[in-house]
Amino acid sequence: MTDTEATTGTTYRERLYVTWYWWPLPLVAAGLLAAEVHLGYPGVRAWLPYVVLLPLTALLIWRAGSTSVRVQDGELWVGKAHLPLRYVGEVQIVPTKDKRRALGPHLDPAAFVLHRGWVGPVVRLRQTDPEDPTPYWIFSTRHPDRLVEALRAGD
């Protein structure tokens, strides 16, 4: 594929949403904090913490899960970062049990990392752009097999 050619359409897309069982604890904590403030202030200020803290907590949880991973128009997009598929080298699926080692002692500080703790496996891919100092990308995905298939199909 030359630089002027580009594929059209999306061949892979997923959103790294926060699973339902991660929502209750932060919302309960925000409710308890609002109740604590409520106890200290009578009148109108008593309900204000509920109006502010609960929606703000829900918004933060939703934003944490709004990150997407997609292969589209000849590029891999992970969050707001993108890499042309021509620079995708070796792709490795890191299973959940090995994720801690890959993100811990074996992580290169110059690597691009997008990790979501509520998503099991991660994908590690070498990038081959000689102009880019990033040695590899490592990022969360729920369906690593489908992503690798889309990356190979896009080459």
Side-chain angles (χ1 to χ4, degrees), residues 54-117:
L54 291 172
L56 181 64
T57 302
L59 176 69
L60 290 174
I61 296 169
W62 178 80
R63 285 283 297 146
S66 66
T67 305
S68 68
V69 175
R70 66 187 189 275
V71 177
Q72 179 179 6
D73 297 329
E75 291 188 326
L76 168 65
W77 288 83
V78 179
K80 294 183 180 183
H82 61 98
L83 179 69
L85 293 181
R86 67 180 173 271
Y87 295 126
V88 173
E90 175 190 0
V91 181
Q92 174 187 12
I93 297 172
V94 180
T96 305
K97 65 182 179 67
D98 297 329
K99 180 168 69 167
R100 184 174 183 164
R101 192 173 345 161
L103 292 170
H106 295 148
L107 181 68
D108 186 329
F112 169 79
V113 178
L114 190 134
H115 175 249
R116 297 294 183 249

Side-chain angles (χ1 to χ4, degrees), residues 130-142:
E131 302 290 320
D132 191 345
T134 307
Y136 60 88
W137 286 29
I138 188 163
F139 55 92
S140 298
T141 177
R142 284 195 170 86

